[in-house]
Amino acid sequence: MLESAEILVVDDEKMIREGCARLLEKIGHKVTLACDGIEALDLIRQKNFDIMLLDIKMPRLDGMGVMGVLKREQLDLLVLVITGFATIETAVQAMKAGAYDLLIKPFSTDSLRIAVARAVEHISLAREAEDLRRLQARSLKDIESEQSRLRTVMNAMACGVLVTDNEKTVVLCNPLVPRLLNMSTPDIVGRSAAHIIPQQPLVDMIDRVFAEEEAITALEQELPVTGSLWLRTRTAPVRDNEARIIGSVTVLQDITHTKEMEQMKNQFVAMVSHELKTPLAVIMQQVEVLLGGMAGAINDRQAHFLERARIRGQELIDLINQLLDLSRIEAGQIVSQQEPLDLVPVIRRVCDFLKPQADIKQQDLVWELPECLPQISADPGNMDEVFMNVINNAIKYTPEGGRIEVRAEREGDYVRFRIADSGFGIPKDDIPRIFDKFYRVKTDKTISITGSGLGLPIVKGIVEAHLGEIEIQSRPGQGTIFDILLPIIMEKTEENARPPSQ
Ligand code: ADP
């Protein structure tokens, strides 16, 4: 509400001018005085007024003349015409020409106060209405430009994007969606997702994100669409400020090329491994025959070279086996046979097997394992491979005379296996990368140590397939600690051991 208006009082009668000024200033308005139309217009051109009290009959330029100039020059202010009975007709014309109200002389202080109060309220309302109109116009423009920006972004995306409301009706999508999902029609906005999406697994996934009880953040799947077309789909709920699900958004990514490469790689690895492994096994057998003296006596020199050939051959077989393992892990086939397993004997066997290697380097390989540990659910062959790799690494990357300790203990719902060495350690920047395929840390200490960089990716793949975790702490020059956490099989409590009641 306008509290204090700028008011111009224009009248050739001094008494009226000053009487108006006194009253209006008393009620908080700012008043300027003019004694005729010419003076009034000069003032209006210099300064903004909210209201003008304008006498009709004045020398030089009268009220109607002023109204005419206001209109011509588009000067915007609210006019209250002051008129005597003699000029009332002219005053009515002034009203028609745009004056807001009229005061008939002689007027009381109350009628002046009321007329000005009404004019002030009118101005306030008009300004509020204008503010609202501007706000509305701006937000409509904002919405429009926001929508066009969104459309441009969505249309430029290399992925399909499909948005539904909480009724699972499609409210937004880009042109890639009907193409990727091989739909019969491109007009899918406004239609039920269940009716227009031909792939039932995707419909099911959209249904699942609406199932509040699962508290899903996003669901992913790989989806065969037509002959060779494969998609990776990711569906997430859209929530309002109060976390209620108000819709879903699905992103479709064409992974056909990746799938083809994966298939080719798997075929290649399987083929190469087979083609290499079979002849290599024959060569190894023949080397063993020669070394065992079954083809005639051999001298020490010959035995030395044959032994070197045997070691290199074995390394090659190990590498091929690692490649095969890795391609099985990547195909999700690593856990072949899970069974309840006590890992203590498995680790003891691995330590016994590796002890001679540690002895050669005069290292202390010690294992302190509890008599019994809670069982885990695992494939014994896989577990053998995990501990063989990690303990073997500890020996390989620890200098002569160092120490390697292997421990195990229960920790909540997990068993923590700790392999700690006093070796070369791993620089901080390399730690996140040592689980990458073929990644090997190259320092002057480790450069001469042979390896494939496949051991730890295999360990990670196996541990994760058993729902476990790996933690590493390492300090260059001081040593490394590998912690492997594997979940315990739920022990039988009285509650769940009881046979079901009839
Ligand atoms: P590699 O066949 O090279 O041993 P891994 O995948 O088993 O391959 O290990 C990857 C790299 O991690 C190794 O090359 C080595 O640099 C580093 N590494 C693994 N274990 C240890 C350890 N106990 N101490 C220091 N470095 C290690």
Side-chain angles (χ1 to χ4, degrees):
M1 183 80 179
L2 185 63
E3 297 288 330
S4 162
E6 285 282 357
I7 302 179
L8 176 63
V9 180
V10 192
D11 202 307
D12 55 343
E13 283 182 58
K14 190 166 180 242
M15 223 174 69
I16 295 195
R17 277 202 311 268
E18 289 178 353
C20 288
R22 252 195 320 280
L23 177 87
L24 295 174
E25 277 169 353
K26 210 157 123 196
I27 55 178
H29 299 301
K30 290 181 209 112
V31 181
T32 308
L33 302 178
C35 59
D36 61 32
I38 304 257
E39 198 184 335
L41 286 172
D42 282 349
L43 287 163
I44 290 170
R45 288 187 189 112
Q46 288 164 33
K47 183 178 169 182
N48 281 336
F49 292 97
D50 301 309
I51 299 169
M52 172 163 60
L53 301 184
L54 178 67
D55 189 15
I56 285 292
K57 194 161 164 293
M58 287 180 295
R60 300 212 293 167
L61 185 65
D62 67 4
M64 276 316 280
V66 173
M67 292 294 290
V69 177
L70 289 185
K71 198 165 178 189
R72 228 177 19 253
E73 296 186 15
Q74 295 183 341
L75 297 165
D76 184 28
L77 80 170
L78 206 79
V79 179
L80 298 184
V81 173
I82 300 173
T83 175
F85 281 109
T87 51
I88 205 153
E89 209 172 311
T90 323
V92 171
Q93 275 175 25
M95 293 284 288
K96 284 187 189 151
Y100 173 68
D101 207 349
L102 56 111
L103 278 162
I104 299 171
K105 288 196 244 185
F107 49 83
S108 66
T109 52
D110 268 354
S111 43
L112 174 64
R113 205 187 353 253
I114 290 168
V116 168
R118 227 180 11 234
V120 165
E121 196 183 342
H122 178 86
I123 292 173
S124 301
L125 287 176
R127 285 184 188 167
E128 270 169 33
E130 179 58 19
D131 286 351
L132 273 176
R133 196 194 58 74
R134 278 211 200 104
L135 200 72
Q136 201 185 17
R138 205 174 48 222
S139 49
L140 282 175
K141 203 157 155 259
D142 284 353
I143 291 170
E144 203 178 299
S145 64
E146 189 61 42
Q147 277 181 348
S148 110
R149 219 176 7 229
L150 181 66
R151 251 195 316 275
T152 313
V153 171
M154 282 189 48
N155 290 354
M157 280 174 81
C159 297
V161 181
L162 177 129
V163 183
T164 73
D165 62 11
N166 60 352
E167 304 275 295
K168 297 170 205 163
T169 300
V170 179
V171 288
L172 196 65
C173 79
N174 61 359
L176 261 184
V177 171
R179 248 189 25 232
L180 288 176
L181 293 179
N182 199 31
M183 288 169 165
S184 47
T185 166
D187 300 320
I188 60 171
V189 171
R191 301 178 62 183
S192 149
H195 289 151
I196 44 117
I197 296 177
Q199 297 76 17
Q200 190 55 37
L202 182 54
V203 176
D204 294 344
M205 223 164 83
I206 295 176
D207 283 344
R208 268 187 66 200
V209 299
F210 282 94
E212 282 280 2
E213 66 275 10
E214 283 196 61
I216 287 166
T217 49
L219 288 172
E220 277 194 13
Q221 66 175 331
E222 288 184 357
L223 189 71
V225 181
T226 53
S228 62
L229 178 64
W230 275 83
L231 299 180
R232 177 171 298 122
T233 73
R234 184 171 205 274
T235 304
V238 179
R239 295 177 185 274
D240 66 9
N241 292 346
E242 281 154 31
R244 283 183 303 236
I245 299 179
I246 52 166
S248 72
V249 54
T250 301
V251 178
L252 310 169
Q253 187 190 358
D254 185 346
I255 53 162
T256 310
H257 187 59
T258 321
K259 276 278 171 193
E260 281 167 3
M261 300 292 287
E262 210 171 274
Q263 208 178 356
M264 266 169 58
K265 191 204 73 185
N266 286 343
Q267 281 168 355
F268 178 76
V269 170
M271 190 267 289
V272 168
S273 311
H274 180 74
E275 297 294 309
L276 286 177
K277 240 177 123 173
T278 317
L280 205 58
V282 177
I283 295 169
M284 289 295 280
Q285 270 169 13
Q286 290 173 355
V287 171
E288 299 280 356
V289 167
L290 291 175
L291 263 174
M294 281 170 271
I298 51 168
N299 63 32
D300 287 352
R301 201 168 146 71
Q302 290 164 334
H304 170 76
F305 284 117
L306 282 172
E307 181 57 21
R308 278 178 61 182
R310 195 189 64 77
I311 291 171
R312 288 282 174 232
Q314 190 54 49
E315 279 173 7
L316 216 51
I317 288 180
D318 290 346
L319 178 64
I320 294 168
N321 284 336
Q322 281 187 325
L323 277 169
L324 279 172
D325 278 348
L326 213 58
S327 73
R328 278 210 305 276
I329 288 174
E330 284 168 0
Q333 301 164 348
I334 188 66
V335 184
S336 38
Q337 207 187 334
Q338 283 203 12
E339 56 189 61
L341 190 66
D342 177 1
L343 273 182
V344 170
V346 175
I347 298 175
R348 277 213 182 97
R349 254 196 327 271
V350 171
C351 290
D352 277 335
F353 181 82
L354 292 174
K355 179 97 174 80
Q357 281 186 36
D359 288 344
I360 292 172
K361 292 177 79 177
Q362 287 124 42
Q363 292 167 335
D364 252 351
L365 171 61
V366 288
W367 53 99
E368 285 170 19
L369 301 165
E371 269 317 302
C372 73
L373 267 176
Q375 289 188 320
I376 63 157
S377 169
D379 179 310
N382 287 165
M383 288 298 124
D384 198 79
E385 202 165 352
V386 165
F387 291 100
M388 195 65 97
N389 264 303
V390 179
I391 301 172
N392 189 30
N393 273 352
I395 296 170
K396 260 192 344 187
Y397 298 105
T398 296
E400 293 199 353
R403 184 176 169 85
I404 293 116
E405 289 174 9
V406 182
R407 294 177 200 281
E409 62 181 11
R410 182 183 180 146
E411 192 177 293
D413 294 339
Y414 287 80
V415 180
R416 180 182 287 271
F417 299 94
R418 171 162 287 192
I419 298 96
D421 65 54
S422 61
F424 303 124
I426 306 169
K428 195 161 158 258
D429 289 347
D430 289 300
I431 290 181
R433 303 197 54 192
I434 56 171
F435 293 102
D436 292 351
K437 276 180 280 184
F438 304 108
Y439 190 80
R440 307 200 63 227
V441 181
K442 291 200 178 72
T443 63
D444 50 348
K445 299 273 190 309
T446 60
I447 195 96
S448 57
I449 301 171
T450 56
S452 62
L454 290 176
L456 288 183
I458 290 174
V459 168
K460 183 168 182 264
I462 295 175
V463 170
E464 284 179 356
H466 287 80
L467 308 177
E469 281 170 36
I470 306 176
E471 293 171 1
I472 302 178
Q473 302 166 54
S474 190
R475 285 250 182 100
Q478 292 189 17
T480 303
I481 299 174
F482 270 86
D483 281 328
I484 295 172
L485 290 111
L486 290 164
I488 294 168
I489 299 178
M490 286 301 289
E491 285 150 313
K492 276 192 183 151
T493 60
E494 270 182 39
E495 187 62 23
N496 62 23
R498 208 179 295 145
S501 52
Q502 298 296 305

